[in-house]
Structure formats: structure tokens, C-alpha cells
Amino acid sequence: MPPSFSPSRVAVVGGGPAGLMAAETLARGGVQVDLFDAMPSVGRKFLLAGKGGLNITHAEPLDAFQGRYGSRRGVIAPLLDDFGPTALRAWTEALGVRTFVGTSGRVFPEEMKAAPLLRAWLTRLREAGVRFHVRHRWCGWADDGQLRFQTPEGELRYRAEATVLALGGGSWARLGSDGAWVPLLQARGVAVAALEPANCGFIASSPRVAPAPGWSEHFRSRHAGQPLKSVAMGLAGAPGTMRPGEAMISDDGIEGGLVYALSAPIRECIKAEGCATLLIDLAPGRPLERVRREVAHPRGARSLASHLQSRVGIAGLRMALLRECLPDEVMAKPDRLAEAIKALPLRLVAPRPLDEAISSAGGVPFEALDGGLMIRALPGVFCAGEMLDWEAPTGGYLLTACLATGRRAGEGVLGWLAGR
Ligand SMILES: Cc1cc2nc3c(=O)[nH]c(=O)nc-3n(C[C@H](O)[C@H](O)[C@H](O)COP(=O)(O)OP(=O)(O)OC[C@H]3O[C@@H](n4cnc5c(N)ncnc54)[C@H](O)[C@@H]3O)c2cc1C
């Protein structure tokens, strides 16, 4: 290296998993990286993700894995070929954090938490020369192309030879990702798709209170916060969406794993038709014919509740849901009641607000980017992570794609700098 060599200065804006991975790739490529984040510390959403058990990736076969990205499979799959679930696990273990595959195929760090991984990662990044600048809120570009940051000491300007934006989506704004970057890129001619909730809960409209949204007060006060375990759910009119799992009754609707998994088609159906109908199978272990027989069995003097409990195992929250969602005349007809037990219709009228969602759909479209994730309209500006327009269910697919896009954006910068 000639003595006059001075490494390129690259800014990474956003210190979530995508930005940190971009920084790591760049530092390894011999570039001076300055990483900026609006918050007092980096990786806050990553730490939150670790609270209920950090599901970093999934161990299912790659073809099934890639299918989780739906219509974006075509653009995400090549990124996963470079840095997919296997590489991610090896990378995690190289940071001294051992991983294991849970019964569902989900992959977790042995300690379940994000903190040890983040700590080891930040140490390695600092050792590699990455400089961290927290409490630096990016607020666009100055006329001369410099990046503008609001800091406690006033505005700072930074001339970067290339920039990676990894600003996250629009949920959990208090952890830093507030989507305030959307108008900044739109003002530069980037056609950003509106951020929308993904992996989110939905507001129901119970027939007991319709057209008002939500549950009846009777149901809400007794059942909000309760888990609905061992059920199956699907979207009416979308064959093949029925799957087993569990959900949770919320104050005004329903949320939890099964609902998150269906959130993209539910959201799109609500957008197109004004509502979506969730079908809940309250007795997934029993075929319809058997449920019909059991419900039609003479019940003598027994109440309907004790009849359903003894014949079909329907009690508690399941029974309350039937009463909440079915008119009395349907409850009185064994055949229709049996059908409802196998496919109870629950009308959903709106997603819960973006800020509550696990992740965001929408963002910078891949069509606006080149293969190195550089915004074509803004040479030298690259994007990574949840701010890109893709979505996936929970199960480790979110972090995997964030890390893969972070790595690709870092490589994109290195290639672009080398080619100048
Ligand atoms: C409760 C919860 C649990 C989750 N659990 C999992 C899980 O188990 N597995 C999984 O795969 N995914 C999970 N996720 C999703 C996962 O955490 C996110 O997809 C991931 O953190 C997104 O990474 P990112 O780097 O793109 O953005 P973020 O992690 O959101 O980071 C963006 C960073 O950019 C900074 N920033 C934003 N705007 C500016 C600005 N103008 N100037 C400077 N800095 C800015 C923010 O402060 C933030 O640090 C979970 C999410 C939530 C909310």
C-alpha cells in the first residue's frame, strides 16, 4: 500500500442488523466506515427481537425458505445464495454464539437472547476500525451532496464517497425506525412504496357489535389477552392458506403467530375489498363429518355448552368465540354449528397500526436498485434491510434477509468504489 493511500470514507446510516452487516463487509474490504444512528445506542430493535427468543433464521430446506419471500423470492433468493441460513449460523458461531434448531425448525442462539451476539459483534466491528456516531439523525443531503445529520451539538455534514442507508421500516418508532426517511428519498425521485404493517394484528368486527369494530364488551372484558391454542386458520377465498398454530385475542381483534403468518393476504384483501374473513378451525384434529356426528348426537337435558365440551372438546374461549361470532339461529342448528366449528368466520376490517407491527411491508422497490443494491437514480447510495420493499413471515426470515441485504449492499459499495 503506498504511503499516501487513504481509504475511502463510507457512511453507513442505521445501526440495525442490516447496517451493522454492511459495515462489517465494508471494513473487511479495507474501507473506513463511519456508522451513524439517530438513537443513543445501536441495535435496539435487534435487542427487542431477542426478548422473546431471538429467532435468527430457519433450518428448513432452502427452496421452502426462499418461498417465504412470496413475490420477492426472485430478488431475495440470489442474496440468500451468498449469505443464507447456513452461512448465517456459521457467522453467528464465529462470533462465539452457539445456535440450536428448535422443534419447529426455527434457529435460536443457545442463550436465546440478542445481547451477547450484539456485544460480540460490536467489539469485532470496533476492532475492525468501524467508527460509531450515535445520536446522529440523518436528515437528507445538503446542496453539495454532503450528508446532513442532526446531533446534540448542532448540524453535522459528512462527505461520503458512498453511503449505505439501512434505516429500517416504520414500526416501533421509539426504537429508532420511524420511516422518516421515506419523504427524503421521495424528494430525490425514488418511488418508495408506502410502508404498511406486516406480521401484525387485525381489528375484528364481531356480528354482536357490527358495523362498529371490535368485540362486544362482554367478550372483550373476559377474553382479551387470552391465547387461542391448537387451532387452525385460513383466509376465506384463499384455498391452501389453512394452517395450524395459535393466536391471541386482543382488545379489538386478533393477533399472534397464525395471524402474522396470514397478515400479507389479509391486509391485501382488506385493501381490495374493505374487509377479510378469517376462518378459524376450532377442532383441527377432528374431520368435519365427525364433528357433524358429535354435534348432532342427542344431548337430552344437557346445555349446549356441556354438550359441545363433552362431544367436541369445545369450551372456554372457543365456546365464547362461537357465541360471539354466530347468530343464535346458527347455534341452534347442529349442521351449521358443526360447519362453524370447523370454519368459524371472523370478519377483519383493518390492520392494527404500523407502529405496533413486527415488521413493515413497502419501502424502496428492488426495481429502483441495481444488483449491488445501489439506487440507480442516486449513484453511490445503497440500501439494505427492512427499508427495502419485501416482506416475510416471522420464523427468522426477517433477520436473515436483513443480514443478506446488508452484506450485498456492502459488497455493492466495494464493487462500485473499485470500478470508479
Ligand atoms: C417485537 C419484535 C420481535 C422481532 N423478532 C424477530 C425475530 O425473532 N426474528 C427475526 O428474524 N426478526 C424479528 N423481528 C424483526 C427484526 O428485528 C427486524 O426486521 C430487523 O431489526 C430490521 O433490521 P434493519 O437493520 O433493517 O432495521 P432496524 O433494526 O430497524 O434498524 C434501523 C436503524 O436505523 C436507525 N435510523 C432510522 N432512521 C434514522 C435516521 N434518520 N438517522 C439515523 N439513524 C436512523 C434506527 O435508529 C435503527 O437503529 C422482530 C421485530 C420486533 C418489533
Side-chain angles (χ1 to χ4, degrees):
M1 198 181 288
S4 61
F5 174 86
S6 83
S8 301
R9 266 190 2 153
V10 175
V12 174
V13 192
L20 295 176
M21 184 53 96
E24 174 163 298
T25 309
L26 287 162
R28 224 181 251 152
V31 162
Q32 174 57 59
V33 184
D34 284 292
L35 187 142
F36 300 90
D37 199 290
M39 300 299 285
S41 60
V42 298
R44 293 192 167 204
K45 193 181 269 184
F46 186 58
L47 288 172
L48 175 77
K51 239 179 150 186
L54 183 72
N55 179 197
I56 48 166
T57 191
H58 203 287
E60 69 191 350
L62 195 57
D63 187 52
F65 194 105
Q66 291 171 349
R68 305 293 177 178
Y69 298 93
S71 62
R72 290 305 197 185
R73 177 187 183 132
V75 281
I76 298 285
L79 308 183
L80 298 177
D81 287 342
D82 285 353
F83 192 77
T86 308
L88 197 161
R89 284 188 75 184
W91 170 86
T92 309
E93 306 234 348
L95 277 167
V97 174
R98 293 172 63 87
T99 60
F100 73 97
V101 182
T103 45
S104 59
R106 293 173 180 228
V107 177
F108 301 91
E110 257 176 19
E111 288 184 67
M112 299 300 279
K113 299 189 189 104
L117 178 59
L118 183 62
R119 242 191 334 265
W121 195 7
L122 293 180
T123 303
R124 191 163 82 181
L125 288 170
R126 284 198 184 93
E127 283 167 5
V130 176
R131 297 189 296 219
F132 287 84
H133 310 272
V134 293
R135 293 193 170 92
H136 280 59
R137 166 169 290 281
W138 176 62
C139 41
W141 289 273
D143 290 343
D144 63 359
Q146 292 194 74
L147 298 168
R148 293 175 52 216
F149 292 96
Q150 275 167 10
T151 80
E153 285 78 44
E155 182 167 314
L156 174 115
R157 295 197 175 184
Y158 180 95
R159 182 168 300 286
E161 284 170 67
T163 303
V164 178
L165 299 176
L167 301 161
S171 73
W172 291 75
R174 65 182 177 280
L175 301 180
S177 50
D178 58 7
W181 54 267
V182 173
L184 299 177
L185 289 188
Q186 283 171 336
R188 290 275 167 147
V190 184
V192 181
L195 297 180
E196 295 181 291
N199 294 300
C200 57
F202 287 87
I203 299 171
S205 174
S206 153
R208 301 272 163 209
V209 296
W215 304 113
S216 68
E217 183 50 26
H218 179 84
F219 182 84
R220 191 202 63 76
S221 61
R222 283 166 181 76
H223 301 292
Q226 281 184 357
L228 187 56
K229 291 194 172 167
S230 305
V231 292
M233 284 182 193
L235 180 62
T241 53
M242 191 61 94
R243 64 189 78 186
E246 59 184 71
M248 169 90 88
I249 301 299
S250 61
D251 263 349
D252 58 6
I254 191 157
E255 59 186 35
L258 261 182
V259 180
Y260 298 161
L262 290 166
S263 61
I266 296 175
R267 188 190 65 228
E268 294 310 310
C269 185
I270 292 174
K271 266 204 296 197
E273 297 170 23
C275 70
T277 303
L278 190 65
L279 298 176
I280 310 175
D281 183 347
L282 295 170
R286 295 173 162 87
L288 175 59
E289 270 323 300
R290 190 172 144 207
V291 174
R292 270 207 183 104
R293 266 199 319 276
E294 299 290 358
V295 176
H297 196 273
R299 67 174 155 108
R302 279 194 308 182
S303 69
L304 180 62
S306 65
H307 177 63
L308 291 183
Q309 176 159 22
S310 66
R311 309 291 320 184
V312 210
I314 299 280
L317 175 55
R318 283 165 214 263
M319 187 64 201
L321 256 181
L322 285 175
R323 289 199 195 284
E324 179 76 8
C325 296
L326 295 179
D328 295 344
E329 65 268 21
V330 174
M331 292 293 285
K333 292 208 174 92
D335 217 42
R336 291 188 61 194
L337 178 55
E339 276 166 23
I341 288 172
K342 289 299 291 173
L344 181 69
L346 176 62
R347 205 163 155 264
L348 303 177
V349 290
R352 290 289 309 165
L354 172 61
D355 194 47
E356 293 174 14
I358 300 277
S359 61
S360 310
V364 178
F366 282 88
E367 292 73 16
L369 306 172
D370 72 7
L373 304 185
M374 183 173 82
I375 302 178
R376 291 180 209 276
L378 299 174
V381 180
F382 296 70
C383 287
E386 211 181 294
M387 69 182 291
L388 297 176
D389 184 11
W390 56 275
E391 65 180 305
T394 55
Y397 310 105
L398 298 167
L399 282 174
T400 307
C402 286
L403 293 168
T405 54
R407 168 154 308 205
R408 175 59 64 90
E411 284 164 355
V413 171
L414 294 174
W416 187 75
L417 290 173
R420 278 190 317 171

